[in-house]
Amino acid sequence: MARAAGDAPDPRPLVAHVVYRFAVGGLENGVVNLINRMPHDRWRHAVVSLTDVDAAFAARIRRDDVPCIALHKPPGQGFWQWPKLRRTFAHLQPALVHTRNLAALEAQAPAWAAGVRARVHGEHGRDADDLHGANRRHVWMRRAYRPFVQRYVALSRDLASYLRNTVGLPADRIEQIYNGVDTERFAPAAGGRAPVAGSPFNDLSEAWIVGTVGRMQAVKAQPLLVRTFLRALEIAPALRPRLRLVLAGDGPLRAECETLLARAGASDLAWLAGERADVPDVMRGLDCFVLPSLAEGISNTILEAMASGLPVIATDVGGNADLVAAGETGRLVPPGDVEALAAAIAAEAADPDRARAMGRAGRSRVLERFSLPAMVAAYEAVYREVLGEPAAA
């Protein structure tokens, strides 16, 4: 932050991370991981939320020198709020501003106006109302802010291709950096599936539990997973005594999921766990992780599931194919295809030994390719380059 008169200058560059809202989410969790893992003696950080800051979520930052600033911006393009952003940057005096996703891209212009010398923008996933990146207005907006951004970070090959081929950015301004996962926090349970606090299935030793974790909103498609679960029971009725479903998360689609289960007489076969603070424990309480989403960047929950030793069944969208090695660590199915997803679930439930082998292979893949140290090193390299500093040894 800005120095008081007489204070000695802090030689560590300050990185201002700009997000639309700082609350529970994969993008925001990545920001927390980056702040916690970057060397404290080398970097300082601030979080600027264009809207709100969830205090409980912000408490996940394990440093006491990171201000989290909420600007309470209403929906829509906030050109009128640019002076407020400019004043915020002038007060913080960051060496680098890192915006994330289209909703925060507009902060690049006031950062430039405030004299911030290094400016990075990250693309983490598709917009909820533009799952295929075809919205001309969104493309135009990304092009309009292009002069203010020095370097782009794409979290998947799909997003990097979108920036190059649709937005029209030069390849030498784009870095592709995968998210990393905490492989100590997310790790397999010793001796197989572990009980989860509050779960009605803890005493079902023969159960085979599939589940997902995430906010219940349209792009995550939890009602589709419920329909898929019910269809799997139809095509493989022998699974009914042991196949169970867990949906962890909350949001506007929860009531629809409950209704679908009730109409099918299957409410007792599923547990809607709500929002959980113990996601690693929830993962250790599953036999298989399913991600039915209609669009993704790089899914943190897939990485967390793989790190937890789970086989993953996911839709073939966004960066999911970058993570899941089809046939080795899980399965990929077309988005929105209930029949394909149900068949994949039934096949894994019918062969638990193969599913466990896929889970072990997924854990190994994460350790080799998607570690937090690798992610942090990649971001540090980008930051140093944009700041004009020599690369780390």
Side-chain angles (χ1 to χ4, degrees):
M1 298 181 67
R3 293 185 289 114
D7 284 354
D10 193 323
R12 299 173 298 164
L14 173 64
V15 180
H17 304 272
V18 184
V19 296
Y20 182 73
R21 183 169 186 259
F22 197 53
V24 175
L27 181 157
E28 296 79 7
N29 195 58
V31 174
V32 171
N33 283 336
L34 189 60
I35 291 172
N36 285 339
R37 294 286 179 144
M38 287 181 72
H40 295 194
D41 61 349
R42 177 69 185 87
W43 302 92
R44 293 182 295 139
H45 302 271
V47 175
V48 178
S49 169
L50 298 185
T51 56
D52 306 313
V53 171
D54 183 305
F57 180 78
R60 297 185 186 184
I61 296 175
R62 299 193 300 267
R63 295 179 59 163
D64 58 7
D65 63 343
V66 179
C68 294
I69 301 165
L71 300 182
H72 307 294
K73 171 186 174 295
Q77 279 290 302
F79 303 115
W80 61 269
Q81 202 172 19
W82 283 10
K84 187 176 184 180
L85 273 164
R86 185 180 183 279
R87 290 193 298 270
T88 300
F89 294 135
H91 173 67
L92 290 171
Q93 298 180 13
L96 186 149
V97 162
H98 185 164
T99 57
R100 288 168 169 84
N101 273 357
L102 182 61
L105 179 57
E106 64 182 283
Q108 289 285 336
W112 169 82
V116 179
R117 61 191 176 99
R119 299 173 303 278
V120 175
H121 177 70
E123 289 285 343
H124 287 241
R126 299 292 191 195
D127 304 297
D129 57 349
D130 184 22
L131 299 182
H132 304 291
N135 185 299
R136 292 183 179 180
R137 179 172 175 268
H138 292 174
V139 172
W140 176 87
M141 289 172 61
R142 287 180 169 91
R143 290 174 178 169
Y145 286 103
R146 179 170 53 188
F148 302 107
V149 183
Q150 294 165 303
R151 191 58 51 88
Y152 291 82
V153 174
L155 266 68
S156 69
R157 291 176 295 175
D158 172 65
L159 290 170
S161 175
Y162 170 73
L163 291 175
R164 286 193 310 270
N165 301 325
T166 303
V167 180
L169 299 177
D172 61 2
R173 289 177 63 186
I174 304 168
E175 298 288 340
Q176 202 252 297
I177 300 176
Y178 289 121
N179 274 349
V181 61
D182 188 338
T183 55
E184 295 179 2
R185 184 167 177 250
F186 289 92
R193 173 166 45 83
V196 181
S199 172
F201 308 138
N202 287 335
D203 294 332
L204 265 173
S205 60
E206 297 302 315
W208 202 80
I209 302 175
V210 299
T212 196
V213 176
R215 179 161 172 75
M216 291 187 169
Q217 56 189 1
V219 72
K220 298 301 182 183
Q222 286 92 345
L224 184 142
L225 178 55
V226 172
R227 290 193 291 272
T228 294
F229 173 74
L230 297 173
R231 180 59 181 151
L233 293 175
E234 290 177 350
I235 64 176
L239 293 176
R240 192 177 183 93
R242 64 189 188 90
L243 185 61
R244 298 294 183 267
L245 174 67
V246 170
L247 303 178
D250 211 342
L253 297 183
R254 177 175 181 138
E256 182 180 351
C257 293
E258 292 172 335
T259 299
L260 288 169
L261 289 163
R263 286 176 178 171
S267 296
D268 60 333
L269 306 183
W271 178 40
L272 276 65
E275 189 170 312
R276 305 283 297 202
D278 58 345
V279 173
D281 292 334
V282 173
M283 290 290 190
R284 284 186 280 270
L286 302 177
D287 292 293
C288 179
F289 182 81
V290 183
L291 192 73
S293 51
L294 304 178
E296 285 290 341
I298 283 292
S299 168
N300 283 313
T301 52
I302 284 182
L303 288 173
E304 291 164 358
M306 291 170 65
S308 302
L310 297 177
V312 173
I313 301 172
T315 47
D316 192 1
V317 296
N320 288 355
D322 293 16
L323 307 182
V324 179
E328 298 177 17
T329 69
R331 297 170 181 260
L332 294 170
V333 301
D337 192 332
V338 170
E339 291 297 323
L341 196 55
I345 290 174
E348 295 308 317
D351 193 346
D353 289 338
R354 179 181 61 186
R356 284 190 287 269
M358 285 184 169
R360 290 191 295 270
R363 168 78 178 176
S364 297
R365 182 173 170 85
V366 162
L367 291 171
E368 292 170 3
R369 301 187 60 182
F370 304 107
S371 69
L372 279 179
M375 180 192 78
V376 170
Y379 276 108
E380 279 200 276
V382 170
Y383 290 173
R384 286 176 180 274
E385 183 178 352
V386 177
L387 288 168
E389 297 184 359

